[in-house]
Amino acid sequence: MKFRIYWSLAKAVLLESIRRKDLWVIAILGFVVLAASSALGFFGVAGLEVFVKDLAVTVLGLFSTVIAVVTSTRLLPEEIKNRTLYPLLARPLTRFDLILGKYLGAVLVTWTGFLMLAATTGLAMVLFKIPFEIIMLQYLVGKMMGLALVCAIGLALSVYMTPPAATTMGFVLTVGASSISRALVLGYAAAPPAVQWLFKLINTVLPQVHLFDFGSRTVYFNWSPVPLWAMGTLLVYLVGYAGAMLAIAHLKLRRQAL
């Protein structure tokens, strides 16, 4: 019974995204990428395979993250603003069911847009006759897990902040995750021993979204696949951190007067 509720909520988010033409923008973008790749391929790309792969990874990573942040941070605020939340809660539906269903919807929309872009960039790589490696498949799986984490973060931020603030903070925590982590490591090394624990704590609490990105391994050839134990560890981290974010969102929404 719960599965039907979650699926109905997630499907509604996907249909709303299609109505708003969000996914149509992604489809057009994919077509542009494919057309540009075809034009480049017409002039030949001998020796530029690494550049093509790097461009594909950059396009996939950037635009899929934008989809995840924008979609997840606007779902609940729009429901509250448009007063469409009240008919939902009038049904046998708890607030946590609502959060989980909206989260699954955000993940569904984000994964759909990501796979659409992945299909067009994959066709571009076929045009360039770039060989397929198993690390490419692992990159897709890892990126999808990372995007699911981004959606959980965005949804939690949207409950505590205004939509513009949540979107901005979402980009800071996801796009800048790697830079923030490196800064904390440098700060830890330079800090006195008495306060080093603070840098460790902050780095532990902040989302490590960059761990799911195998783009640097994918770009260059002959990299060995990521060990399965590492993929499993990332999955455990995703479930734990995303679950914590949804719990934090529920804690706020449960006490909020609607």
Side-chain angles (χ1 to χ4, degrees), residues 44-107:
V45 291
L48 295 180
E49 290 85 357
V50 172
F51 167 76
V52 172
K53 292 174 71 175
D54 185 45
L55 180 61
V57 167
T58 301
V59 170
L60 277 175
L62 178 60
F63 287 100
S64 60
T65 301
V66 171
I67 298 170
V69 172
V70 172
T71 301
S72 60
T73 54
R74 75 184 181 195
L75 290 178
L76 290 177
E78 284 189 350
E79 292 281 5
I80 296 174
K81 178 181 178 181
N82 297 331
R83 298 183 179 274
T84 54
L85 191 65
Y86 303 107
L88 289 175
L89 294 178
R91 302 178 182 182
L93 184 74
T94 67
R95 297 194 182 192
F96 184 77
D97 291 336
L98 176 67
I99 290 174
L100 184 55
K102 291 295 183 180
Y103 166 69
L104 295 176
V107 172

Short mmCIF file of all heavy atoms in Angstrom, two decimals, residues 44-107:
data_model
loop_
_atom_site.label_atom_id
_atom_site.label_comp_id
_atom_site.label_asym_id
_atom_site.label_seq_id
_atom_site.Cartn_x
_atom_site.Cartn_y
_atom_site.Cartn_z
N GLY A 44 37.13 15.69 -37.79
CA GLY A 44 38.09 14.72 -37.28
C GLY A 44 38.52 15.05 -35.87
O GLY A 44 38.69 16.22 -35.52
N VAL A 45 38.67 14.02 -35.05
CA VAL A 45 39.04 14.23 -33.64
C VAL A 45 40.21 13.34 -33.25
O VAL A 45 40.31 12.90 -32.11
CB VAL A 45 37.84 13.95 -32.71
CG1 VAL A 45 36.78 14.99 -32.86
CG2 VAL A 45 37.29 12.56 -32.97
N ALA A 46 41.08 13.05 -34.19
CA ALA A 46 42.23 12.21 -33.88
C ALA A 46 43.06 12.86 -32.77
O ALA A 46 43.46 14.01 -32.86
CB ALA A 46 43.09 12.02 -35.13
N GLY A 47 43.27 12.11 -31.71
CA GLY A 47 44.04 12.61 -30.59
C GLY A 47 43.25 13.44 -29.61
O GLY A 47 43.81 13.90 -28.60
N LEU A 48 41.96 13.66 -29.88
CA LEU A 48 41.14 14.50 -28.99
C LEU A 48 40.15 13.67 -28.18
O LEU A 48 39.20 14.22 -27.62
CB LEU A 48 40.37 15.54 -29.81
CG LEU A 48 41.21 16.59 -30.54
CD1 LEU A 48 40.30 17.53 -31.30
CD2 LEU A 48 42.09 17.36 -29.56
N GLU A 49 40.37 12.35 -28.11
CA GLU A 49 39.42 11.49 -27.41
C GLU A 49 39.29 11.88 -25.94
O GLU A 49 38.20 11.87 -25.38
CB GLU A 49 39.84 10.02 -27.54
CG GLU A 49 39.69 9.43 -28.93
CD GLU A 49 40.91 9.73 -29.80
OE1 GLU A 49 41.82 10.43 -29.32
OE2 GLU A 49 40.94 9.25 -30.95
N VAL A 50 40.42 12.20 -25.31
CA VAL A 50 40.38 12.58 -23.90
C VAL A 50 39.59 13.87 -23.72
O VAL A 50 38.80 14.02 -22.77
CB VAL A 50 41.81 12.74 -23.34
CG1 VAL A 50 41.77 13.34 -21.94
CG2 VAL A 50 42.53 11.41 -23.32
N PHE A 51 39.76 14.82 -24.65
CA PHE A 51 39.01 16.08 -24.59
C PHE A 51 37.52 15.82 -24.72
O PHE A 51 36.71 16.41 -23.99
CB PHE A 51 39.48 17.01 -25.70
CG PHE A 51 38.58 18.20 -25.91
CD1 PHE A 51 38.59 19.27 -25.04
CD2 PHE A 51 37.69 18.22 -27.00
CE1 PHE A 51 37.74 20.35 -25.23
CE2 PHE A 51 36.85 19.30 -27.20
CZ PHE A 51 36.88 20.37 -26.31
N VAL A 52 37.13 14.94 -25.63
CA VAL A 52 35.72 14.63 -25.85
C VAL A 52 35.12 14.00 -24.60
O VAL A 52 34.02 14.36 -24.15
CB VAL A 52 35.55 13.71 -27.06
CG1 VAL A 52 34.10 13.24 -27.18
CG2 VAL A 52 35.97 14.42 -28.34
N LYS A 53 35.84 13.04 -23.99
CA LYS A 53 35.34 12.40 -22.78
C LYS A 53 35.24 13.39 -21.62
O LYS A 53 34.29 13.35 -20.84
CB LYS A 53 36.24 11.22 -22.41
CG LYS A 53 36.19 10.06 -23.41
CD LYS A 53 37.20 8.99 -23.08
CE LYS A 53 36.82 8.23 -21.83
NZ LYS A 53 37.76 7.10 -21.57
N ASP A 54 36.22 14.26 -21.53
CA ASP A 54 36.20 15.26 -20.46
C ASP A 54 35.01 16.21 -20.64
O ASP A 54 34.33 16.57 -19.66
CB ASP A 54 37.52 16.05 -20.46
CG ASP A 54 37.60 17.02 -19.29
OD1 ASP A 54 37.27 16.63 -18.16
OD2 ASP A 54 38.01 18.19 -19.51
N LEU A 55 34.74 16.61 -21.88
CA LEU A 55 33.59 17.47 -22.16
C LEU A 55 32.28 16.77 -21.82
O LEU A 55 31.37 17.37 -21.23
CB LEU A 55 33.60 17.89 -23.63
CG LEU A 55 32.46 18.80 -24.08
CD1 LEU A 55 32.48 20.12 -23.32
CD2 LEU A 55 32.53 19.04 -25.59
N ALA A 56 32.19 15.48 -22.18
CA ALA A 56 30.97 14.72 -21.90
C ALA A 56 30.73 14.60 -20.40
O ALA A 56 29.61 14.79 -19.91
CB ALA A 56 31.07 13.32 -22.53
N VAL A 57 31.78 14.29 -19.65
CA VAL A 57 31.66 14.16 -18.20
C VAL A 57 31.28 15.50 -17.56
O VAL A 57 30.45 15.56 -16.64
CB VAL A 57 32.98 13.63 -17.61
CG1 VAL A 57 33.01 13.79 -16.09
CG2 VAL A 57 33.18 12.17 -17.98
N THR A 58 31.86 16.58 -18.05
CA THR A 58 31.55 17.91 -17.51
C THR A 58 30.10 18.28 -17.75
O THR A 58 29.41 18.78 -16.85
CB THR A 58 32.47 18.97 -18.14
OG1 THR A 58 33.83 18.63 -17.87
CG2 THR A 58 32.17 20.35 -17.58
N VAL A 59 29.62 18.06 -18.98
CA VAL A 59 28.22 18.36 -19.32
C VAL A 59 27.27 17.54 -18.45
O VAL A 59 26.31 18.07 -17.88
CB VAL A 59 27.97 18.11 -20.81
CG1 VAL A 59 26.47 18.18 -21.12
CG2 VAL A 59 28.71 19.13 -21.66
N LEU A 60 27.55 16.25 -18.35
CA LEU A 60 26.69 15.37 -17.55
C LEU A 60 26.66 15.82 -16.08
O LEU A 60 25.60 15.92 -15.47
CB LEU A 60 27.19 13.93 -17.65
CG LEU A 60 26.74 13.11 -18.86
CD1 LEU A 60 27.43 11.76 -18.87
CD2 LEU A 60 25.23 12.93 -18.86
N GLY A 61 27.84 16.06 -15.55
CA GLY A 61 27.92 16.40 -14.13
C GLY A 61 27.27 17.72 -13.79
O GLY A 61 26.50 17.82 -12.82
N LEU A 62 27.53 18.75 -14.59
CA LEU A 62 27.02 20.08 -14.30
C LEU A 62 25.51 20.16 -14.43
O LEU A 62 24.81 20.59 -13.50
CB LEU A 62 27.69 21.10 -15.22
CG LEU A 62 27.23 22.55 -15.06
CD1 LEU A 62 27.49 23.05 -13.65
CD2 LEU A 62 27.91 23.46 -16.08
N PHE A 63 24.99 19.75 -15.58
CA PHE A 63 23.57 19.95 -15.83
C PHE A 63 22.70 19.00 -15.01
O PHE A 63 21.58 19.36 -14.62
CB PHE A 63 23.27 19.81 -17.32
CG PHE A 63 23.75 20.98 -18.13
CD1 PHE A 63 24.92 20.91 -18.85
CD2 PHE A 63 23.03 22.16 -18.16
CE1 PHE A 63 25.38 22.00 -19.58
CE2 PHE A 63 23.47 23.25 -18.89
CZ PHE A 63 24.65 23.17 -19.60
N SER A 64 23.18 17.80 -14.73
CA SER A 64 22.40 16.89 -13.89
C SER A 64 22.33 17.41 -12.46
O SER A 64 21.30 17.26 -11.78
CB SER A 64 22.99 15.48 -13.93
OG SER A 64 24.33 15.48 -13.47
N THR A 65 23.41 18.03 -11.99
CA THR A 65 23.40 18.62 -10.64
C THR A 65 22.42 19.79 -10.58
O THR A 65 21.71 19.97 -9.57
CB THR A 65 24.80 19.08 -10.24
OG1 THR A 65 25.70 17.95 -10.27
CG2 THR A 65 24.81 19.67 -8.85
N VAL A 66 22.38 20.60 -11.63
CA VAL A 66 21.43 21.71 -11.68
C VAL A 66 20.00 21.17 -11.60
O VAL A 66 19.17 21.71 -10.85
CB VAL A 66 21.63 22.53 -12.97
CG1 VAL A 66 20.49 23.54 -13.14
CG2 VAL A 66 22.96 23.25 -12.95
N ILE A 67 19.72 20.12 -12.35
CA ILE A 67 18.38 19.53 -12.31
C ILE A 67 18.04 19.06 -10.90
O ILE A 67 16.95 19.32 -10.38
CB ILE A 67 18.29 18.33 -13.28
CG1 ILE A 67 18.53 18.78 -14.71
CG2 ILE A 67 16.91 17.66 -13.17
CD1 ILE A 67 18.69 17.62 -15.68
N ALA A 68 18.99 18.36 -10.26
CA ALA A 68 18.74 17.80 -8.92
C ALA A 68 18.47 18.89 -7.90
O ALA A 68 17.52 18.80 -7.11
CB ALA A 68 19.94 16.95 -8.49
N VAL A 69 19.29 19.94 -7.90
CA VAL A 69 19.15 21.00 -6.90
C VAL A 69 17.86 21.78 -7.12
O VAL A 69 17.07 22.00 -6.18
CB VAL A 69 20.37 21.95 -6.93
CG1 VAL A 69 20.13 23.16 -6.04
CG2 VAL A 69 21.62 21.22 -6.51
N VAL A 70 17.61 22.21 -8.35
CA VAL A 70 16.43 23.04 -8.64
C VAL A 70 15.14 22.26 -8.39
O VAL A 70 14.18 22.79 -7.81
CB VAL A 70 16.48 23.55 -10.09
CG1 VAL A 70 15.18 24.25 -10.46
CG2 VAL A 70 17.66 24.50 -10.28
N THR A 71 15.11 20.99 -8.80
CA THR A 71 13.90 20.19 -8.62
C THR A 71 13.61 19.93 -7.15
O THR A 71 12.47 20.10 -6.69
CB THR A 71 14.04 18.85 -9.37
OG1 THR A 71 14.25 19.09 -10.77
CG2 THR A 71 12.78 18.01 -9.20
N SER A 72 14.62 19.52 -6.41
CA SER A 72 14.39 19.12 -5.01
C SER A 72 14.08 20.29 -4.09
O SER A 72 13.35 20.14 -3.10
CB SER A 72 15.61 18.36 -4.48
OG SER A 72 16.78 19.16 -4.53
N THR A 73 14.62 21.47 -4.40
CA THR A 73 14.41 22.62 -3.50
C THR A 73 13.09 23.34 -3.72
O THR A 73 12.73 24.21 -2.91
CB THR A 73 15.56 23.64 -3.64
OG1 THR A 73 15.70 24.02 -5.02
CG2 THR A 73 16.88 23.04 -3.15
N ARG A 74 12.37 23.02 -4.76
CA ARG A 74 11.12 23.75 -5.02
C ARG A 74 9.87 22.92 -4.75
O ARG A 74 8.76 23.46 -4.75
CB ARG A 74 11.10 24.24 -6.47
CG ARG A 74 10.81 23.16 -7.49
CD ARG A 74 10.91 23.68 -8.91
NE ARG A 74 10.60 22.64 -9.89
CZ ARG A 74 10.87 22.73 -11.17
NH1 ARG A 74 11.47 23.82 -11.64
NH2 ARG A 74 10.56 21.76 -12.00
N LEU A 75 10.02 21.61 -4.51
CA LEU A 75 8.85 20.74 -4.41
C LEU A 75 7.94 21.11 -3.24
O LEU A 75 6.77 21.45 -3.42
CB LEU A 75 9.29 19.28 -4.30
CG LEU A 75 9.90 18.67 -5.56
CD1 LEU A 75 10.33 17.24 -5.30
CD2 LEU A 75 8.91 18.71 -6.71
N LEU A 76 8.46 21.04 -2.02
CA LEU A 76 7.63 21.31 -0.85
C LEU A 76 7.20 22.77 -0.74
O LEU A 76 6.03 23.06 -0.43
CB LEU A 76 8.36 20.86 0.42
CG LEU A 76 8.50 19.34 0.59
CD1 LEU A 76 9.30 19.01 1.83
CD2 LEU A 76 7.13 18.67 0.64
N PRO A 77 8.10 23.75 -1.00
CA PRO A 77 7.64 25.15 -0.95
C PRO A 77 6.52 25.44 -1.92
O PRO A 77 5.60 26.22 -1.60
CB PRO A 77 8.91 25.94 -1.32
CG PRO A 77 10.04 25.06 -0.87
CD PRO A 77 9.57 23.68 -1.16
N GLU A 78 6.54 24.85 -3.11
CA GLU A 78 5.47 25.09 -4.08
C GLU A 78 4.17 24.46 -3.60
O GLU A 78 3.08 25.02 -3.81
CB GLU A 78 5.86 24.54 -5.45
CG GLU A 78 6.87 25.39 -6.19
CD GLU A 78 7.07 24.94 -7.61
OE1 GLU A 78 6.55 23.86 -7.97
OE2 GLU A 78 7.74 25.66 -8.37
N GLU A 79 4.25 23.27 -2.98
CA GLU A 79 3.04 22.64 -2.45
C GLU A 79 2.40 23.51 -1.37
O GLU A 79 1.18 23.66 -1.31
CB GLU A 79 3.39 21.26 -1.86
CG GLU A 79 3.82 20.23 -2.89
CD GLU A 79 2.63 19.63 -3.63
OE1 GLU A 79 1.49 20.07 -3.41
OE2 GLU A 79 2.86 18.72 -4.44
N ILE A 80 3.24 24.10 -0.51
CA ILE A 80 2.72 24.95 0.57
C ILE A 80 2.18 26.26 0.00
O ILE A 80 1.10 26.73 0.39
CB ILE A 80 3.83 25.22 1.59
CG1 ILE A 80 4.26 23.91 2.27
CG2 ILE A 80 3.37 26.23 2.64
CD1 ILE A 80 5.45 24.05 3.19
N LYS A 81 2.91 26.86 -0.94
CA LYS A 81 2.50 28.14 -1.51
C LYS A 81 1.19 28.01 -2.29
O LYS A 81 0.31 28.87 -2.18
CB LYS A 81 3.61 28.66 -2.43
CG LYS A 81 3.27 29.98 -3.11
CD LYS A 81 4.39 30.43 -4.04
CE LYS A 81 4.03 31.72 -4.76
NZ LYS A 81 5.12 32.15 -5.69
N ASN A 82 1.05 26.95 -3.07
CA ASN A 82 -0.15 26.76 -3.89
C ASN A 82 -1.29 26.10 -3.13
O ASN A 82 -2.35 25.83 -3.72
CB ASN A 82 0.20 25.92 -5.12
CG ASN A 82 1.22 26.60 -6.02
OD1 ASN A 82 1.29 27.82 -6.07
ND2 ASN A 82 2.02 25.81 -6.71
N ARG A 83 -1.04 25.78 -1.85
CA ARG A 83 -2.04 25.15 -1.00
C ARG A 83 -2.50 23.79 -1.52
O ARG A 83 -3.61 23.33 -1.20
CB ARG A 83 -3.25 26.07 -0.80
CG ARG A 83 -2.90 27.38 -0.10
CD ARG A 83 -4.13 28.24 0.14
NE ARG A 83 -3.79 29.47 0.83
CZ ARG A 83 -3.70 29.59 2.15
NH1 ARG A 83 -3.93 28.53 2.91
NH2 ARG A 83 -3.37 30.74 2.71
N THR A 84 -1.70 23.16 -2.33
CA THR A 84 -2.02 21.80 -2.79
C THR A 84 -1.58 20.75 -1.78
O THR A 84 -1.84 19.56 -1.98
CB THR A 84 -1.33 21.52 -4.14
OG1 THR A 84 0.08 21.79 -4.02
CG2 THR A 84 -1.91 22.40 -5.23
N LEU A 85 -0.93 21.22 -0.72
CA LEU A 85 -0.48 20.29 0.32
C LEU A 85 -1.64 19.79 1.17
O LEU A 85 -1.63 18.65 1.64
CB LEU A 85 0.56 20.98 1.21
CG LEU A 85 1.34 20.11 2.19
CD1 LEU A 85 2.21 19.13 1.45
CD2 LEU A 85 2.20 20.99 3.09
N TYR A 86 -2.65 20.61 1.33
CA TYR A 86 -3.75 20.27 2.23
C TYR A 86 -4.58 19.08 1.72
O TYR A 86 -4.91 18.19 2.52
CB TYR A 86 -4.65 21.49 2.45
CG TYR A 86 -3.88 22.67 3.00
CD1 TYR A 86 -3.59 23.78 2.20
CD2 TYR A 86 -3.41 22.68 4.31
CE1 TYR A 86 -2.87 24.86 2.69
CE2 TYR A 86 -2.69 23.76 4.80
CZ TYR A 86 -2.42 24.84 4.00
OH TYR A 86 -1.70 25.90 4.48
N PRO A 87 -4.93 19.02 0.45
CA PRO A 87 -5.65 17.82 -0.02
C PRO A 87 -4.83 16.54 0.14
O PRO A 87 -5.39 15.48 0.39
CB PRO A 87 -5.91 18.13 -1.50
CG PRO A 87 -5.85 19.61 -1.61
CD PRO A 87 -4.83 20.04 -0.61
N LEU A 88 -3.50 16.67 0.00
CA LEU A 88 -2.66 15.48 0.16
C LEU A 88 -2.68 14.98 1.60
O LEU A 88 -2.83 13.79 1.86
CB LEU A 88 -1.23 15.81 -0.26
CG LEU A 88 -0.98 16.02 -1.76
CD1 LEU A 88 0.46 16.47 -1.99
CD2 LEU A 88 -1.27 14.75 -2.54
N LEU A 89 -2.53 15.92 2.55
CA LEU A 89 -2.49 15.53 3.95
C LEU A 89 -3.86 15.15 4.49
O LEU A 89 -3.97 14.55 5.56
CB LEU A 89 -1.90 16.67 4.79
CG LEU A 89 -0.43 16.99 4.51
CD1 LEU A 89 0.04 18.16 5.36
CD2 LEU A 89 0.45 15.76 4.78
N ALA A 90 -4.91 15.51 3.76
CA ALA A 90 -6.25 15.11 4.16
C ALA A 90 -6.48 13.62 3.93
O ALA A 90 -7.39 13.02 4.52
CB ALA A 90 -7.31 15.92 3.41
N ARG A 91 -5.65 13.02 3.07
CA ARG A 91 -5.73 11.59 2.82
C ARG A 91 -4.99 10.84 3.92
O ARG A 91 -4.31 11.45 4.74
CB ARG A 91 -5.13 11.28 1.45
CG ARG A 91 -5.81 12.03 0.30
CD ARG A 91 -5.14 11.72 -1.01
NE ARG A 91 -5.76 12.45 -2.11
CZ ARG A 91 -5.39 12.34 -3.39
NH1 ARG A 91 -4.39 11.54 -3.72
NH2 ARG A 91 -6.02 13.03 -4.32
N PRO A 92 -5.12 9.51 3.94
CA PRO A 92 -4.34 8.73 4.91
C PRO A 92 -2.85 8.75 4.56
O PRO A 92 -2.26 7.76 4.09
CB PRO A 92 -4.93 7.31 4.79
CG PRO A 92 -5.51 7.26 3.42
CD PRO A 92 -6.02 8.65 3.14
N LEU A 93 -2.26 9.91 4.75
CA LEU A 93 -0.89 10.14 4.33
C LEU A 93 -0.17 10.93 5.41
O LEU A 93 -0.61 12.02 5.79
CB LEU A 93 -0.88 10.95 3.01
CG LEU A 93 0.46 11.21 2.33
CD1 LEU A 93 0.98 9.94 1.69
CD2 LEU A 93 0.31 12.29 1.27
N THR A 94 0.90 10.38 5.95
CA THR A 94 1.67 11.09 6.97
C THR A 94 2.61 12.10 6.31
O THR A 94 2.86 12.04 5.10
CB THR A 94 2.50 10.10 7.81
OG1 THR A 94 3.51 9.50 6.98
CG2 THR A 94 1.62 9.01 8.38
N ARG A 95 3.14 12.98 7.11
CA ARG A 95 4.06 13.98 6.57
C ARG A 95 5.36 13.33 6.10
O ARG A 95 5.98 13.80 5.15
CB ARG A 95 4.33 15.06 7.61
CG ARG A 95 3.07 15.83 7.99
CD ARG A 95 3.35 17.10 8.75
NE ARG A 95 2.10 17.77 9.11
CZ ARG A 95 2.01 19.00 9.58
NH1 ARG A 95 3.12 19.71 9.77
NH2 ARG A 95 0.84 19.53 9.88
N PHE A 96 5.78 12.26 6.78
CA PHE A 96 6.98 11.57 6.31
C PHE A 96 6.72 10.88 4.98
O PHE A 96 7.60 10.83 4.12
CB PHE A 96 7.48 10.56 7.34
CG PHE A 96 8.77 9.90 6.94
CD1 PHE A 96 9.97 10.58 7.07
CD2 PHE A 96 8.78 8.62 6.40
CE1 PHE A 96 11.17 10.00 6.67
CE2 PHE A 96 9.97 8.03 6.00
CZ PHE A 96 11.17 8.72 6.15
N ASP A 97 5.51 10.31 4.80
CA ASP A 97 5.15 9.72 3.51
C ASP A 97 5.24 10.77 2.41
O ASP A 97 5.72 10.49 1.30
CB ASP A 97 3.73 9.15 3.55
CG ASP A 97 3.63 7.92 4.44
OD1 ASP A 97 4.66 7.25 4.64
OD2 ASP A 97 2.52 7.63 4.92
N LEU A 98 4.78 11.97 2.71
CA LEU A 98 4.84 13.06 1.74
C LEU A 98 6.29 13.40 1.39
O LEU A 98 6.63 13.54 0.21
CB LEU A 98 4.14 14.30 2.30
CG LEU A 98 4.19 15.55 1.44
CD1 LEU A 98 3.40 15.36 0.16
CD2 LEU A 98 3.66 16.76 2.21
N ILE A 99 7.13 13.51 2.41
CA ILE A 99 8.55 13.83 2.17
C ILE A 99 9.21 12.74 1.35
O ILE A 99 9.93 13.03 0.38
CB ILE A 99 9.27 14.03 3.52
CG1 ILE A 99 8.80 15.31 4.19
CG2 ILE A 99 10.78 14.07 3.32
CD1 ILE A 99 9.34 15.51 5.58
N LEU A 100 8.99 11.50 1.72
CA LEU A 100 9.63 10.39 1.00
C LEU A 100 9.13 10.31 -0.44
O LEU A 100 9.91 10.09 -1.37
CB LEU A 100 9.37 9.07 1.73
CG LEU A 100 10.05 7.83 1.16
CD1 LEU A 100 11.56 8.04 1.04
CD2 LEU A 100 9.74 6.60 2.00
N GLY A 101 7.82 10.50 -0.63
CA GLY A 101 7.28 10.45 -1.99
C GLY A 101 7.82 11.58 -2.85
O GLY A 101 8.16 11.36 -4.03
N LYS A 102 7.91 12.78 -2.30
CA LYS A 102 8.46 13.91 -3.04
C LYS A 102 9.94 13.69 -3.34
O LYS A 102 10.43 14.05 -4.42
CB LYS A 102 8.28 15.21 -2.25
CG LYS A 102 6.84 15.66 -2.13
CD LYS A 102 6.26 16.03 -3.50
CE LYS A 102 4.85 16.56 -3.39
NZ LYS A 102 4.28 16.93 -4.72
N TYR A 103 10.65 13.11 -2.39
CA TYR A 103 12.07 12.82 -2.61
C TYR A 103 12.25 11.83 -3.76
O TYR A 103 13.09 12.04 -4.65
CB TYR A 103 12.69 12.26 -1.33
CG TYR A 103 14.04 11.63 -1.55
CD1 TYR A 103 15.15 12.40 -1.86
CD2 TYR A 103 14.21 10.25 -1.46
CE1 TYR A 103 16.40 11.82 -2.08
CE2 TYR A 103 15.44 9.66 -1.67
CZ TYR A 103 16.54 10.45 -1.97
OH TYR A 103 17.75 9.86 -2.20
N LEU A 104 11.46 10.77 -3.75
CA LEU A 104 11.54 9.79 -4.84
C LEU A 104 11.18 10.42 -6.18
O LEU A 104 11.76 10.08 -7.21
CB LEU A 104 10.63 8.60 -4.54
CG LEU A 104 11.01 7.75 -3.31
CD1 LEU A 104 9.97 6.66 -3.08
CD2 LEU A 104 12.39 7.13 -3.51
N GLY A 105 10.24 11.36 -6.15
CA GLY A 105 9.90 12.07 -7.38
C GLY A 105 11.04 12.92 -7.89
O GLY A 105 11.31 12.96 -9.10
N ALA A 106 11.71 13.62 -6.97
CA ALA A 106 12.87 14.43 -7.37
C ALA A 106 13.97 13.55 -7.95
O ALA A 106 14.61 13.91 -8.95
CB ALA A 106 13.39 15.21 -6.17
N VAL A 107 14.19 12.39 -7.33
CA VAL A 107 15.21 11.46 -7.84
C VAL A 107 14.80 10.94 -9.22
O VAL A 107 15.63 10.85 -10.13
CB VAL A 107 15.40 10.28 -6.87
CG1 VAL A 107 16.31 9.20 -7.48
CG2 VAL A 107 16.00 10.77 -5.55
#
